[in-house]
Amino acid sequence: MKRYGFYVTALLFSAVLGGCAGSAERKVLNDFLYPGQENAALNKYAPGAEKGAVDAQLQMGIMYENGQGVPKNARTAAKWYRKAAEQGESRAEFRLGLLYEEGRGVTKDYQEAAKWYLEAAKGGDPKAQAKLGIMMSEGHWIPKKSEEKKAAKWVRRVADTGLPSALNTMGLIHAKGLGVKRDVKAAYRWYRRAARKGYAKAQVNLGFMYYNGSGIDQDFKKALFWFRKAADRGDPNAQTLYGLMLTSGSLGYKKYEEAVKWYRRAVKKGYAEAKFQLGFMYANGRGVEKDFASALKWYAEAAKQDHAQAQIHLGYLYEKGQGVDKNFHEAANWYKKAAQRGHGEAQLLLALMYTDGRGVPKDYVLAHMWSNIAAAKGVKGATKHRDKMEKKMTKVQIATAQRLAREWKPEKEGTELVRPILGSHRG
């Protein structure tokens, strides 16, 4: 009866403090339920932890993370784990990495999580090694060149458990030769194992291998099959690729209306490539009635997501006044965004704008610079335009333009498909 009465009292006390209880109230409840334990735990570890004792710091972190004898507080746990981790305590390194990965007590940060997992993994912590394998499989960690060999081993351990994302990453590791000898046939086998488990990314990768004939016989029907499998699982990349195959003619037929349906599905998930493709369909009247205003809308949506080709097409509509009032300034602005990301066609178009002073001040030096950069990429007409510009420029201007071209570096890459294998998108 006394034991029953204790629990009733405790429950009533907890209810009074309720969900709105702050740290002070929780401490009162904790003292009531666990009399003397909090002070005993703190008295045991706190003095040593404050003096830099690693084991004590680790224990303080564990206590605060789990609420053992003290109120649960992930932020305080992170503080103590960090102190121990900075002294090379691998268990603290792992636990700190876990807090960063899950966003408990600290801001969620995969890069910071990987940093601490890597430190623990170097010390031989198998859990940290497994975590890195999973993070690499999920795209949250990219190992440095010097780390690739170990990373391949860690991913392999996870893959041996049958985890689909790890199986797919093993395919990627062999396809690119990351820490292992490049072997496209081995990549195919790993991708196939993950694809058969229903892993969409592996199904897409397998589709690419069939489309390109990488390590296996080229087979467009099998490529379509695997793209469709992933598309049915809701993968926007696969949905877009499936639509692209339906319009490419590689299958001996074209189904524009069906492609539009798949692009719309991917668009609902915010996928930039699908927005661009949908805009292209409207601009060319494929599967939908030709409508430049709708094309402009979808190009603009994709362009805002740093899709370079969409930026070019959007600029073109502004330059020609299709679906919108003619606006050279807007056209040049979008060409410049794509050009700065390294798109050769945009670089030549921007050079032409500087040559004529349309939307930007006339500037032969910049015109030469951009046409020169485009020429280095093999863009048709770029070399001819650069040479034409030189006839209008002084030697000093030419030297300046050449220097600017040499010093130029692209900004971040755009959001196009990583492997645009299905031909031109220009209308």
Side-chain angles (χ1 to χ4, degrees):
M1 282 297 293
K2 287 184 179 181
R3 187 174 183 80
Y4 175 76
F6 170 80
Y7 282 119
V8 170
T9 305
L11 288 171
L12 288 173
F13 193 34
S14 177
V16 170
L17 293 177
C20 62
S23 59
E25 289 84 354
R26 284 197 300 271
K27 183 179 185 305
V28 173
L29 177 58
N30 203 59
D31 287 342
F32 178 78
L33 294 174
Y34 311 106
Q37 290 186 28
E38 179 175 351
N39 289 335
L42 287 175
N43 289 338
K44 181 177 181 181
Y45 295 113
E50 292 290 354
K51 292 179 180 179
V54 175
D55 287 342
Q57 291 171 340
L58 173 64
Q59 289 301 323
M60 289 288 285
I62 293 172
M63 286 164 53
Y64 277 105
E65 182 183 3
N66 299 307
Q68 297 173 347
V70 294
K72 185 181 288 189
N73 190 320
R75 181 177 294 181
T76 303
K79 181 190 83 170
W80 287 112
Y81 285 150
R82 184 181 301 280
K83 287 180 180 292
E86 287 174 347
Q87 295 193 66
E89 166 54 60
S90 62
R91 292 169 294 178
E93 291 165 346
F94 173 77
R95 288 175 179 270
L96 184 58
L98 196 63
L99 292 183
Y100 272 109
E101 185 183 2
E102 297 174 355
R104 293 187 292 121
V106 291
T107 302
K108 190 170 187 175
D109 188 332
Y110 289 122
Q111 187 173 351
E112 194 69 12
K115 166 189 167 182
W116 290 110
Y117 284 151
L118 186 59
E119 290 300 315
K122 288 176 180 176
D125 190 313
K127 292 184 293 183
Q129 293 170 354
K131 273 290 186 181
L132 284 171
I134 294 170
M135 287 187 74
M136 186 177 176
S137 300
E138 295 175 347
H140 296 317
W141 176 58
I142 301 175
K144 296 177 182 177
K145 189 72 178 176
S146 60
E147 299 164 348
E148 287 178 357
K149 204 166 187 177
K150 288 182 178 179
K153 291 180 180 179
W154 297 336
V155 175
R156 177 61 188 263
R157 290 176 188 171
V158 180
D160 286 341
T161 68
L163 185 70
S165 61
L167 295 171
N168 179 65
T169 302
M170 284 302 298
L172 178 67
I173 285 171
H174 282 86
K176 293 189 174 184
L178 304 175
V180 298
K181 184 178 180 180
R182 187 172 182 271
D183 186 341
V184 290
K185 289 185 178 180
Y188 169 79
R189 291 193 294 270
W190 285 108
Y191 286 148
R192 185 175 58 182
R193 285 180 61 187
R196 287 177 172 175
K197 287 177 174 285
Y199 192 66
K201 289 181 180 179
Q203 292 170 337
V204 169
N205 287 328
L206 200 54
F208 269 121
M209 293 195 78
Y210 276 115
Y211 190 93
N212 293 321
S214 302
I216 52 177
D217 292 335
Q218 189 175 54
D219 191 324
F220 293 137
K221 289 184 179 179
K222 287 184 178 179
L224 187 74
F225 170 83
W226 286 110
F227 287 151
R228 178 60 186 265
K229 281 280 188 182
D232 285 338
R233 297 187 72 83
D235 186 282
N237 184 20
Q239 291 168 341
T240 305
L241 287 166
Y242 186 73
L244 280 167
M245 281 206 72
L246 294 176
T247 65
S248 69
S250 58
L251 297 163
Y253 58 82
K254 294 182 179 181
K255 295 184 177 181
Y256 292 131
E257 290 185 6
E258 187 176 349
V260 168
K261 291 179 182 177
W262 285 101
Y263 293 151
R264 291 192 188 282
R265 292 185 185 185
V267 160
K268 288 180 180 178
K269 297 185 177 181
Y271 196 56
E273 178 72 20
K275 293 176 181 178
F276 166 69
Q277 295 297 341
L278 190 56
F280 179 78
M281 300 299 267
Y282 272 110
N284 294 278
R286 296 180 180 178
V288 291
E289 186 176 343
K290 182 179 281 192
D291 183 346
F292 286 119
S294 292
L296 183 90
K297 170 191 171 184
W298 291 114
Y299 285 156
E301 287 282 328
K304 290 174 184 176
Q305 291 177 251
D306 292 335
H307 191 291
Q309 287 185 326
Q311 291 169 341
I312 294 170
H313 283 65
L314 182 59
Y316 186 80
L317 292 185
Y318 274 111
E319 183 181 355
K320 300 300 180 182
Q322 295 177 328
V324 67
D325 291 337
K326 189 177 289 188
N327 189 324
F328 292 141
H329 176 75
E330 276 295 305
N333 177 57
W334 288 110
Y335 289 155
K336 183 180 288 186
K337 286 181 181 293
Q340 289 172 333
R341 284 174 173 76
H343 201 290
E345 187 179 2
Q347 291 164 349
L348 178 57
L349 289 168
L350 183 58
L352 294 172
M353 301 297 273
Y354 276 115
T355 300
D356 300 329
R358 291 180 298 136
V360 289
K362 183 180 288 190
D363 191 323
Y364 288 166
V365 170
L366 290 178
H368 186 287
M369 167 199 157
W370 284 114
S371 58
N372 198 17
I373 294 171
K377 294 178 179 293
V379 176
K380 186 178 179 180
T383 300
K384 184 178 179 180
H385 183 71
R386 180 199 63 197
D387 294 344
K388 182 180 177 181
M389 290 302 305
E390 288 186 357
K391 296 177 182 179
K392 303 178 181 181
M393 300 168 66
T394 66
K395 290 183 179 180
V396 173
Q397 287 177 318
I398 294 172
T400 300
Q402 291 174 337
R403 176 179 57 79
L404 291 173
R406 286 194 302 271
E407 294 175 350
W408 178 82
K409 291 182 180 180
E411 295 180 359
K412 64 179 181 178
E413 295 180 355
T415 55
E416 293 88 347
L417 289 168
V418 175
R419 289 166 284 186
I421 58 172
L422 304 178
S424 173
H425 304 301
R426 292 293 285 175

